[in-house]
Amino acid sequence: MRNILLALVLVLFQNINAQESVDLGYYLPENITYDQSIPKPQEVIGHEVGEWHVTHDKLVFYMHAVAKASDRITIENRGQTFEGRPLLLLTVTTPQNHQNIAKIREEHLALTEIKGSSMNIEAMPLVVYQGFSIHGNEPSGSNAALAYVYYLAAAQGPEIESILENTILLVDPAFNPDGLQRFAYWANTNKSINLNPDNNEREYHEVWPGGRTNHYWFDMNRDWLPVQLPESRARIETYHNWMPNILTDHHEMGTSSTFFFQPGEPDRVHPLTPKLNQELTTEIATYHAKALDKIGSLYYSEEQYDDYFYGKGSTFPDVNGGIGILFEQASSRGHIQESQNGLLTFPFTIRNQFTTALSTIEAAKNMRIKILRYQQEFFKNVGLMSAVSRTKALIFGDYKDAAKTWHLAEVLQRHKVKFHELSNDISLGGKSYKKGYSYVVPMNQKNQSLIKAMFEKRTTFKDSLFYDISAWTFPLAFNLDYSESRSLKVAGKEINRLMPLSGNVDAQSNYAYLFEWNEYYTPKAINKILNKGIRAKVAREPFSLDGKNYGHGTIMVPVQNQVLPSSELHAFLNTVAQESKIEITAANTGLAKGIDLGSNSFGSLTKQRVAILVGSGINAHAAGEIWHLFDTRYDIKITKIDVAYFNSVDWSKYTDLIIPSMGNSLSKEQAKKLKEWVEAGGTLIGYQNAANWLHKNELIKLKFKKDTLVGKNISFGQQNDFRGAQNTGGAIFEAKIDLSHPINYGYKDDRLPLFRNTNIYIEPDKHSYNNPIQYTNNPLLSGYISEENLALLKNSVPFQVQRMGKGRVIVFTDNTNFRAFWYGTNKLLMNAIFFGKLM
């Protein structure tokens, strides 16, 4: 008890000291001399570290200045964010190592190959990737990077020389430049001369959507595996170019917490992570504990956070032969704030991040041989597993959709996974695979563990609590067929460079053009066509023409009575086909088997004007996923309307309004206004929790299944685990779909994998035709769900549509656009937009 009180007094004393006087010496180790030719942060950015929140532009200026002044540092720009900010990487080591950096990298990568099992590692440097502030409003990491890079460049003496001689440091000073800039602006513009620690102070309550995310409001710490964002692609390229031994990820958490470092919860580790990984993480943790003890900072480990989802920075290395380490610092959310541990100052949070950055490289130096040997053995074991495995290859594809298949191959390529084209069309396990629409992934390669993590389905778990999602099976996310093969005979030529997809119109027609709705980018095509003022229709029944079968949702563009003459229409559609990567077929007759092209079973399509509700009370992640989908994938304009000015909007301008997951963000009067808009012909689309609000305000009539679970024989200490076990954090489930319903146009199979992270369960309608998407009686495909919630989910419906006057109200209980990589259900939203009037 006495030691705890002493530590608390030290914390309070240091915090108060930091508030009164902040200079670089507050962070730096004592009794070390520094090279005076290296510029200090204040000399470049105009303020001391921690005095203000550093903006990303100033961070960039300093990193370039210190790299120019130091022969220990090289700097590179690996790309740009959506807002055009550079994605910097600093490589830090001795000048001698820099002269041989290409050879050092080549030898280090050789350690991850099968031949690397016999390499001598005694003189090999360790590679450490240190990344800061992937969440922009967790800024102590990037601000600590200022002091840390100064230390690496300027510190003198045998300690730093030994570390740099034996280590290649890859320093990413800002994982999330756009978010960091957004939050720095907020904190700085609300800072007072007299710092105010009152929790109610506006400085600590940033406006929606906050600085956590990137430009499109994505949580980028969930994108290490999917690699859908430019920031992620830059860091994944760096990762695979170096295959680091240690990767650190500096975060923040609640203000009244202390400091966390891994390992996390011992029972919440993914089974593909070797036990030795956790043992080494525990040993590295002793260095963090020692360093934080020295400065009197409180901390904890092996609680709260887990090592399960491989899409996080602290867990991704664990399936790649490295060691990922998460740091979580209590956040001041500004410059100084009251907490349960006393006054928490911004400089104090920075110092803890700085301190553990140093303790990481001290551990790396002292554990170098042990950690290199672990990496060596990891990939040696991969080779042994490949030799005994009965599965020699994985095959995936969709013979109706080249684009979705291509995009999964693109993810594999970004992770340096080897794959081949399919040698010829085959059928395997009742599934058809078409050459050019399918790929083969050999399992005998060094990335075997990563491949397993991406493709496996898992439904049994040691623990029922998850910090993040429990399933992410990629072929299910992309809604692709996939099979295991015991032979590599199906593999054709290895694909070293994934060629871009193409599209075209096969010939000019004076009658009509047709394209099926199956391809991923068909919404992009129809949007361009309708925006050009060209008439188009959609087939509500299948038909055959010139020996080709066309399914529900086929688009027909007649040639006559268009705004363009036939030759210009052909040229325009050819451009559309190329840009949308689809094949358009010329039809020279309307006489078909089944419905003819002039049939009333073709419904007319009209140009859509889509809006999305954003702002306070709306789930920013869900809104950002939709914005990103429209803006970057389908080139469809979408108007973001903030709830703050809802009442002043002329809603008659819009054909569709999307409400992402939300609580009670709108009033009854606003609900009435929406009802009038729908009755006049609008299509209202609500996601997840918005379904509850729409039902409550009588915009749609739904019957919900309710949980009646009661905690019996549960102690007070067990209540959090009891409740947590009922949380469906993110799993994959199977639904049966009606291919004739417009919401399912473009799907070839009557089974569809859906991602779900809610406990909203809707009873099916009494008429089966009103349940075009319905969970099966055995729906769990991958991930965790409690037995009680699984019983509620069975045969429930995740989609409903009801007419109201001339309009429609549509609800989805599930996220069809999850984290930008759930390609398989993106089309459901597009179908609601373009075909809503047919439902």
Side-chain angles (χ1 to χ4, degrees):
M1 176 62 76
R2 182 179 178 184
N3 289 337
I4 293 174
L5 290 174
L6 178 61
L8 184 57
V9 169
L10 283 170
V11 171
L12 293 173
F13 177 75
Q14 290 158 348
N15 282 342
I16 293 169
N17 261 5
Q19 180 191 3
E20 291 176 349
S21 176
V22 175
D23 60 28
L24 196 58
Y26 175 69
Y27 309 104
L28 300 175
E30 298 176 350
N31 304 318
I32 293 179
T33 58
Y34 293 90
D35 184 346
Q36 296 302 305
S37 69
I38 303 299
K40 295 178 180 179
Q42 185 187 30
E43 297 167 8
V44 177
I45 66 175
H47 63 81
E48 291 283 6
V49 175
E51 183 182 0
W52 294 88
H53 283 250
V54 71
T55 56
H56 186 260
D57 52 348
K58 288 185 175 182
L59 185 73
V60 169
F61 293 152
Y62 182 69
M63 295 302 158
H64 277 287
V66 77
K68 183 178 180 180
S70 174
D71 58 3
R72 295 174 177 176
I73 298 176
T74 59
I75 191 169
E76 61 181 298
N77 179 13
R78 298 165 295 167
Q80 290 185 336
T81 69
F82 281 115
E83 296 178 8
R85 293 187 175 86
L87 298 165
L88 299 184
L89 181 76
L90 284 69
T91 303
V92 188
T93 189
T94 62
Q96 294 75 22
N97 283 343
H98 273 299
Q99 292 174 7
N100 299 301
I101 200 73
K103 182 180 180 182
I104 291 172
R105 188 177 76 86
E106 181 181 331
E107 289 180 349
H108 183 78
L109 288 178
L111 199 64
T112 67
E113 303 291 345
I114 295 176
K115 62 181 180 181
S117 61
S118 60
M119 291 180 65
N120 185 351
I121 59 175
E122 293 298 321
M124 189 176 289
L126 202 72
V127 179
V128 180
Y129 190 158
Q130 293 176 287
F132 300 90
S133 297
I134 201 165
H135 297 143
N137 61 359
E138 300 177 4
S140 57
S142 285
N143 283 267
L146 292 166
Y148 181 58
V149 169
Y150 171 79
Y151 171 83
L152 294 176
Q156 295 177 321
E159 178 68 19
I160 186 64
E161 293 293 344
S162 176
I163 287 174
L164 295 178
E165 182 181 353
N166 290 284
T167 315
I168 306 296
L169 298 177
L170 308 172
V171 180
D172 193 328
F175 271 148
N176 181 2
D178 293 349
L180 183 73
Q181 186 81 8
R182 193 184 317 140
F183 182 74
Y185 164 80
W186 175 263
N188 290 337
T189 55
N190 284 283
K191 180 186 177 184
S192 301
I193 294 175
N194 297 295
L195 298 184
N196 187 349
D198 187 341
N199 304 134
N200 295 316
E201 160 60 36
R202 187 170 189 259
E203 181 181 350
Y204 314 122
H205 299 273
E206 56 180 323
V207 294
W208 192 96
R212 178 182 178 88
T213 54
N214 76 338
H215 175 74
Y216 284 102
W217 310 331
F218 280 90
D219 183 338
M220 293 192 300
N221 195 40
R222 306 300 189 264
D223 196 43
W224 287 79
L225 208 56
V227 205
Q228 296 299 305
L229 306 169
E231 300 92 341
S232 308
R233 292 172 181 178
R235 65 177 184 262
I236 287 299
E237 181 73 16
T238 297
Y239 189 95
H240 288 295
N241 280 344
W242 273 104
M243 296 298 286
N245 301 96
I246 299 173
L247 184 144
T248 59
D249 192 10
H250 292 255
H251 287 251
E252 291 182 3
M253 55 182 167
T255 300
S256 286
S257 299
T258 57
F259 191 93
F260 169 87
F261 50 79
Q262 282 180 311
E265 289 275 1
D267 291 338
R268 301 175 196 167
V269 180
H270 197 287
L272 290 175
T273 299
K275 182 179 179 182
L276 184 54
N277 171 284
Q278 294 294 290
E279 293 174 358
L280 291 170
T281 303
T282 301
E283 185 174 347
I284 293 171
T286 63
Y287 288 83
H288 308 320
K290 180 181 177 182
L292 293 171
D293 284 342
K294 187 175 181 180
I295 63 172
S297 288
L298 299 176
Y299 56 84
Y300 66 97
S301 188
E302 295 188 299
E303 295 178 44
Q304 187 175 354
Y305 299 95
D306 67 19
D307 293 277
Y308 192 83
F309 174 42
Y310 287 125
K312 298 184 298 181
S314 60
T315 315
F316 177 77
D318 298 344
V319 77
N320 286 286
I323 299 167
I325 298 177
L326 170 68
F327 296 122
E328 291 276 357
Q329 164 62 47
S331 179
S332 62
R333 299 294 179 206
H335 293 86
I336 183 172
Q337 192 175 171
E338 296 168 348
S339 80
Q340 292 178 3
N341 297 309
L343 289 177
L344 181 63
T345 68
F346 187 40
F348 180 77
T349 69
I350 294 170
R351 186 164 72 153
N352 282 341
Q353 302 278 26
F354 175 89
T355 298
T356 49
L358 288 187
S359 61
T360 298
I361 58 176
E362 182 185 2
K365 182 195 73 170
N366 295 338
M367 298 173 61
R368 179 176 61 86
I369 298 298
K370 189 181 296 187
I371 294 174
L372 285 169
R373 185 171 292 119
Y374 165 72
Q375 186 178 47
Q376 191 176 40
E377 289 297 314
F378 179 94
F379 289 101
K380 178 181 178 180
N381 291 334
V382 166
L384 295 175
M385 288 188 291
S386 298
V388 301
S389 175
R390 300 175 69 183
T391 300
K392 300 303 178 185
L394 295 171
I395 306 168
F396 67 90
D398 184 332
Y399 64 83
K400 285 280 192 177
D401 189 349
K404 278 193 304 164
T405 308
W406 188 92
H407 279 298
L408 178 51
E410 182 186 39
V411 173
L412 296 177
Q413 188 171 72
R414 293 192 184 281
H415 284 299
K416 311 298 182 186
V417 172
K418 297 178 181 179
F419 55 93
H420 297 244
E421 65 180 22
L422 192 64
S423 58
N424 52 270
D425 296 356
I426 63 168
S427 293
L428 192 63
K431 299 173 182 176
S432 297
Y433 296 95
K434 182 179 177 181
K435 184 177 180 180
Y437 288 68
S438 305
Y439 299 98
V440 181
V441 184
M443 294 302 290
N444 185 19
Q445 55 179 299
K446 74 175 187 180
N447 284 328
Q448 182 188 122
S449 295
L450 180 62
I451 296 167
K452 287 181 177 179
M454 294 177 71
F455 280 79
E456 72 165 10
K457 292 191 291 186
R458 190 178 294 272
T459 57
T460 57
F461 304 91
K462 189 174 181 180
D463 198 298
S464 59
L465 301 181
F466 298 86
Y467 186 75
D468 200 79
I469 60 176
S470 61
W472 52 87
T473 311
F474 275 72
L476 296 181
F478 282 71
N479 187 32
L480 298 174
D481 295 323
Y482 73 114
S483 303
E484 295 181 356
S485 175
R486 296 184 181 181
S487 169
L488 279 171
K489 293 180 180 179
V490 296
K493 182 176 64 176
E494 182 178 346
I495 298 176
N496 295 313
R497 182 169 176 263
L498 197 59
M499 299 302 294
L501 293 166
S502 60
N504 75 295
V505 179
D506 67 347
Q508 184 171 340
S509 172
N510 288 317
Y511 193 83
Y513 295 94
L514 299 169
F515 60 91
E516 289 193 275
W517 193 246
N518 300 85
E519 282 285 356
Y520 183 78
Y521 287 106
T522 48
K524 181 176 181 178
I526 194 61
N527 183 65
K528 289 181 177 294
I529 290 168
L530 296 175
N531 275 295
K532 191 70 172 179
I534 294 171
R535 291 186 300 107
K537 294 189 173 186
V538 59
R540 288 181 280 191
E541 298 291 341
F543 62 95
S544 299
L545 188 68
D546 294 332
K548 182 176 180 180
N549 296 324
Y550 294 89
H552 296 94
T554 295
I555 303 299
M556 187 261 290
V557 179
V559 175
Q560 301 304 315
N561 299 321
Q562 295 283 17
V563 296
L564 297 177
S566 61
S567 59
E568 291 183 24
L569 178 63
H570 171 256
F572 172 74
L573 290 178
N574 198 52
T575 299
V576 169
Q578 292 173 10
E579 292 178 352
S580 304
K581 307 171 181 63
I582 65 171
E583 301 295 326
I584 299 179
T585 303
N588 294 308
T589 177
L591 187 62
K593 291 182 179 179
I595 60 171
D596 295 325
L597 300 194
S599 168
N600 288 332
S601 290
F602 275 89
S604 295
L605 300 177
T606 57
K607 177 182 175 180
Q608 303 298 293
R609 295 196 65 175
V610 185
I612 181 173
L613 204 61
V614 301
S616 180
I618 303 292
N619 184 304
H621 298 309
E625 289 160 356
I626 295 169
W627 175 25
H628 175 268
L629 179 70
F630 275 73
D631 203 33
T632 71
R633 299 265 175 87
Y634 293 136
D635 284 345
I636 300 175
K637 291 180 181 177
I638 185 169
T639 302
K640 302 186 296 297
I641 297 176
D642 199 292
V643 295
Y645 53 84
F646 179 99
N647 292 334
S648 63
V649 173
D650 177 8
W651 292 99
S652 66
K653 293 173 59 176
Y654 306 102
T655 59
D656 300 77
L657 173 63
I658 304 169
I659 303 180
S661 186
M662 71 165 191
N664 294 314
S665 302
L666 301 177
S667 66
K668 289 184 178 181
E669 290 73 20
Q670 290 167 329
K672 182 180 178 182
K673 192 171 184 178
L674 284 180
K675 187 175 182 179
E676 292 171 351
W677 172 77
V678 173
E679 289 174 338
T683 299
L684 182 60
I685 304 168
Y687 271 97
Q688 297 177 288
N689 289 331
N692 293 319
W693 184 86
L694 291 169
H695 170 75
K696 179 181 177 181
N697 287 276
E698 300 180 346
L699 283 106
I700 191 170
K701 295 179 181 178
L702 302 171
K703 185 177 180 181
F704 296 98
K705 292 184 175 184
K706 294 297 183 180
D707 178 17
T708 58
L709 182 66
V710 176
K712 296 182 178 180
N713 300 317
I714 303 294
S715 71
F716 181 82
Q718 295 171 322
Q719 62 175 315
N720 288 336
D721 287 351
F722 169 74
R723 292 171 180 166
Q726 299 306 313
N727 178 42
T728 307
I732 307 170
F733 302 93
E734 181 186 63
K736 182 178 180 179
I737 64 175
D738 174 1
L739 297 177
S740 71
H741 195 284
I743 197 64
N744 296 318
Y745 285 176
Y747 289 96
K748 67 179 177 62
D749 299 321
D750 67 354
R751 294 293 189 274
L752 181 64
L754 295 172
F755 176 84
R756 159 173 282 261
N757 59 355
T758 68
N759 285 339
I760 302 171
Y761 309 102
I762 299 176
E763 294 271 12
D765 189 84
K766 62 181 179 180
H767 299 295
S768 62
Y769 53 77
N770 287 332
N771 305 311
I773 308 175
Q774 185 169 12
Y775 282 115
T776 62
N777 195 49
N778 188 26
L780 181 60
L781 292 175
S782 186
Y784 169 80
I785 186 173
S786 70
E787 293 180 4
E788 297 80 8
N789 286 328
L790 182 59
L792 291 170
L793 183 69
K794 290 180 179 180
N795 301 310
S796 68
V797 292
F799 166 86
Q800 282 285 274
V801 55
Q802 292 175 14
R803 298 187 181 192
M804 180 181 290
K806 296 179 181 179
R808 308 289 187 278
V809 178
I810 295 171
V811 297
F812 293 99
T813 62
D814 302 338
N815 187 345
T816 63
N817 315 293
F818 185 64
R819 292 181 182 170
F821 81 102
W822 212 267
Y823 280 76
T825 51
N826 286 157
K827 190 159 284 182
L828 293 176
L829 176 56
M830 293 298 108
N831 289 351
I833 297 294
F834 289 105
F835 309 138
K837 292 291 186 289
L838 304 178
M839 298 180 191

